[in-house]
């Protein structure tokens, strides 16, 4: 099944969920390695990879959100309490805010620091702000704050998925896994 139904995630949503999850984790590692590397041509290349992958992620995340709006979202189990529904909704919204905020704040850092942006050595992207040192410094803090928020939200997200699987014994986790088409 390509599309979502009221009870299950389709293959496109699953592919985007796990593909983007893997790329975000690689991107966090790449960002930390690039920041920690000594000043050298390798550091510059690590940053070109980081910025390019970040822009690619921005496009993938936008496509994912559009796909989500164009499809039904599978329902939570009928006996889920109201707080659990609200918590699921709020944590997914927070994950999306971080997923968009990170590449956008990164692009603003780059623009405000007046550094040219080339995506995978292929094509340039324009600056989205005028050069402004103070803005670049503020956006570095925003970028870091969003990383910390994303990591906390992700820890809650994974804990909730594992709680559903091992404690509540619902199929919330298995219905997001590849190859499982149906759900109750
Ligand atoms: C989902 C996308 C992204 C994630 C998860 C991410 C993650 C990270 C991480 C973990 C760091 C190291 C921690 C820090 O010092 O802030 C970092 C730093 C940085 N990122 Fe990103 N990033 C993303 C997108 C981007 C994009 C699209 C750009 C630019 C076009 C960018 C530019 C930067 C810059 C310039 C730094 C160094 C900041 C500093 O010197 O403090 N990032 N990022
Ligand atoms: C960076 C990593 C991750 C991000 C950003 C992320 C984000 C999201 C978001 C936004 C949703 C809501 C549905 C959607 O719009 O696609 C979702 C659903 C889900 N995620 Fe993740 N996720 C990540 C990693 C993981 C991991 C590691 C697990 C497993 C332990 C997991 C398990 C699930 C499950 C089971 C659902 C389905 C919930 C339901 O059916 O109602 N996610 N994820």
């Amino acid at each position: 099944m390509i599309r979502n139904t009221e009870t299950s995630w389709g293959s496109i949503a699953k592919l985007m969920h796990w593909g983007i999850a893997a790329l975000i984790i690689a991107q966090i590692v790449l960002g930390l390695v690039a920041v920690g590397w000594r000043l050298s041509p390798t550091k510059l290349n690590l940053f070109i990879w980081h910025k390019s992958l970040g822009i690619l992620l921005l496009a993938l995340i936008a496509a994912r959100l559009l796909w989500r709006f164009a499809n039904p979202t599978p329902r939570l189990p009928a006996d889920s309490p109201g707080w659990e529904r609200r918590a699921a909704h709020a944590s997914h919204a927070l994950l999306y805010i971080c997923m968009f905020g990170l590449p956008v704040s990164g692009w603003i850092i780059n623009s405000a620091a007046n550094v040219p942006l080339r995506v995978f050595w292929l094509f340039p992207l324009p600056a989205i702000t005028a050069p402004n040192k103070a803005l670049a410094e503020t956006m570095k803090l925003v970028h870091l704050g969003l990383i910390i928020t994303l990591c906390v939200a992700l820890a809650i997200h994974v804990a909730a998925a594992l709680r559903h699987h091992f404690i509540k014994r619902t199929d919330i986790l298995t219905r997001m896994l590849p190859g499982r088409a149906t759900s109750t």
Side-chain angles (χ1 to χ4, degrees), residues 89-141:
H89 199 250
S91 58
H92 292 164
L94 186 60
L95 284 166
Y96 273 111
I97 289 169
C98 295
M99 285 194 281
F100 276 110
L102 272 161
V104 171
S105 59
W107 195 348
I108 298 177
I109 303 176
N110 208 72
S111 309
N114 204 12
V115 177
L117 179 56
R118 281 192 81 84
V119 181
F120 295 115
W121 296 269
L122 293 175
F123 58 90
L125 278 186
I128 48 174
T129 67
N132 180 338
K133 260 193 148 166
L135 177 64
E137 291 308 314
T138 310
M139 279 300 144
K140 283 183 186 175
L141 291 179

Side-chain angles (χ1 to χ4, degrees), residues 27-28 31 35 47 50-51 54 102-103 106-107 140 143-144 147:
Q27 173 72 342
I28 293 176
V35 166
F47 265 115
H50 180 74
K51 293 172 189 179
L102 272 161
W107 195 348
K140 283 183 186 175
H143 204 61
L144 188 61
I147 292 157

Side-chain angles (χ1 to χ4, degrees), residues 18-174:
W18 294 110
I20 289 172
L23 288 179
I24 287 181
I25 302 217
Q27 173 72 342
I28 293 176
V29 173
L30 191 52
L32 293 172
V33 171
V35 166
W37 208 271
R38 68 188 162 78
L39 200 57
S40 62
T42 308
K43 185 180 180 93
L44 298 183
N45 283 333
L46 285 170
F47 265 115
I48 296 177
W49 279 105
H50 180 74
K51 293 172 189 179
S52 302
L53 183 56
I55 296 294
L56 174 66
L57 271 164
L58 179 60
L60 291 174
I61 292 158
R64 173 176 176 182
L65 195 60
L66 289 177
W67 184 252
R68 194 186 208 264
F69 286 136
N71 276 261
T73 304
R75 285 187 302 261
L76 286 174
D79 59 353
S80 304
W83 72 265
E84 212 173 272
R85 291 171 186 280
R86 285 190 294 277
H89 199 250
S91 58
H92 292 164
L94 186 60
L95 284 166
Y96 273 111
I97 289 169
C98 295
M99 285 194 281
F100 276 110
L102 272 161
V104 171
S105 59
W107 195 348
I108 298 177
I109 303 176
N110 208 72
S111 309
N114 204 12
V115 177
L117 179 56
R118 281 192 81 84
V119 181
F120 295 115
W121 296 269
L122 293 175
F123 58 90
L125 278 186
I128 48 174
T129 67
N132 180 338
K133 260 193 148 166
L135 177 64
E137 291 308 314
T138 310
M139 279 300 144
K140 283 183 186 175
L141 291 179
V142 171
H143 204 61
L144 188 61
L146 284 168
I147 292 157
I148 295 167
T149 311
L150 175 68
C151 290
V152 172
L154 191 58
I156 295 171
H157 183 66
V158 171
L162 296 179
R163 171 175 172 266
H164 267 282
H165 189 70
F166 291 109
I167 300 176
K168 296 193 75 184
R169 300 200 177 272
T170 67
D171 66 352
I172 292 284
L173 177 58
T174 51

